Amino acid sequence: MHLIIGNQNYSSWSMRPWVAMRHFGIAFEQTKVWLDTPTFKAEMALFSSAKTVPVLVTEHGAATDSLSILETLADRHPQMWPSDHALKIMARNAVSRMHSGFFALRGEMPMNCRAHQRLLDITPACRNDINAVEALWAHCIASAAEQGQTQGYLLGEFSIADAFFAPVVVRLKGYQVAVSDATQAYMNKLLANPAVCAWIAAGLEETVVLDADEAGTDQA
């Protein structure tokens, strides 16, 4: 399989399938297409009419959008979702909320692997999104614990839900955002995941700077 991604420092949508595939040991070829360049659309047109990242090219066609990619992969690798039916529904609900919501958080706090506790003024709408994310994570972890799943990820073992929220963890780490102890514990767990560490390390190696995605002020 062939995964086409954007800049690893900035591309939150690309991070999700990449991290999931690395974590679950799914082999893939990688092509990086740099965001916001004059040739981006033309380069992406070689892989998909959507002309966006990420794209997963398979023998059956190209899956576009991170959710489509991960559902396509889960057809072959069902362990990417929790095996418990109730937890699987919760995982899918959480992924759907991230896919279609939390717009203030996503808009005001661009993912940036190079950001480290930057000073950033956020709006009440963004704070509300953060509170909602924290409440969602707490509910998932508590529900998993009720089923005896206490591995520290959202629904027990690492799943697509964790891959989907990995960019949010990078955001919360990058800016001075007050979070609960439970949220910090989950963040620490995900940030220690080898696949997440590998993505962040690759992002840190990049030298391209996209001004539109540079938010906040580094502390002295």
Side-chain angles (χ1 to χ4, degrees):
M1 286 185 286
H2 186 187
L3 182 66
I4 297 87
I5 62 172
N7 307 39
Q8 287 177 272
N9 189 52
Y10 299 114
S11 184
S12 59
W13 294 100
S14 300
M15 182 182 187
R16 293 168 176 141
W18 192 99
V19 163
M21 294 176 80
R22 282 288 292 264
H23 178 87
F24 288 104
I26 302 170
F28 63 96
E29 176 188 352
Q30 172 183 308
T31 295
K32 186 181 296 186
V33 179
W34 298 101
L35 302 171
D36 294 347
T37 66
T39 60
F40 176 80
K41 292 293 186 182
E43 290 181 74
M44 289 307 303
L46 299 174
F47 305 105
S48 165
S49 60
K51 301 178 184 178
T52 57
V53 289
V55 173
L56 181 67
V57 179
T58 77
E59 69 269 33
H60 301 298
T64 61
D65 183 277
S66 56
L67 182 54
S68 174
I69 291 170
L70 289 166
E71 286 284 19
T72 297
L73 291 168
D75 287 341
R76 299 185 185 182
H77 306 277
Q79 72 274 21
M80 297 177 76
W81 289 115
S83 57
D84 180 89
H85 293 298
L87 296 182
K88 185 186 291 185
I89 289 174
M90 292 189 67
R92 284 177 164 153
N93 288 345
V95 166
S96 296
R97 286 186 65 184
M98 185 67 246
H99 189 262
S100 60
F102 306 124
F103 296 113
L105 185 160
R106 286 153 54 179
E108 295 181 35
M109 300 172 61
M111 192 184 86
N112 187 333
C113 295
R114 288 193 291 263
H116 180 66
Q117 289 293 286
R118 290 185 182 180
L119 294 169
L120 178 67
D121 292 327
I122 60 174
T123 67
C126 183
R127 182 69 251 186
N128 287 340
D129 277 355
I130 295 168
N131 293 343
V133 167
E134 288 196 80
L136 174 61
W137 289 354
H139 180 59
C140 286
I141 292 169
S143 298
E146 290 174 1
Q147 301 296 325
Q149 302 290 330
T150 58
Q151 296 90 336
Y153 291 111
L154 288 180
L155 283 311
E157 297 284 0
F158 184 95
S159 74
I160 287 173
D162 299 289
F164 236 76
F165 280 100
V168 175
V169 169
V170 173
R171 286 172 161 98
L172 295 179
K173 173 181 177 290
Y175 306 103
Q176 287 196 34
V177 179
V179 297
S180 70
D181 290 344
T183 294
Q184 189 62 58
Y186 172 65
M187 289 173 57
N188 293 343
K189 177 72 173 181
L190 202 55
L191 288 167
N193 179 283
V196 174
C197 290
W199 175 276
I200 292 173
L204 292 174
E205 290 178 358
E206 295 176 351
T207 58
V208 173
V209 175
L210 300 180
D211 290 339
D213 291 320
E214 289 293 329
T217 304
D218 289 318
Q219 298 183 78

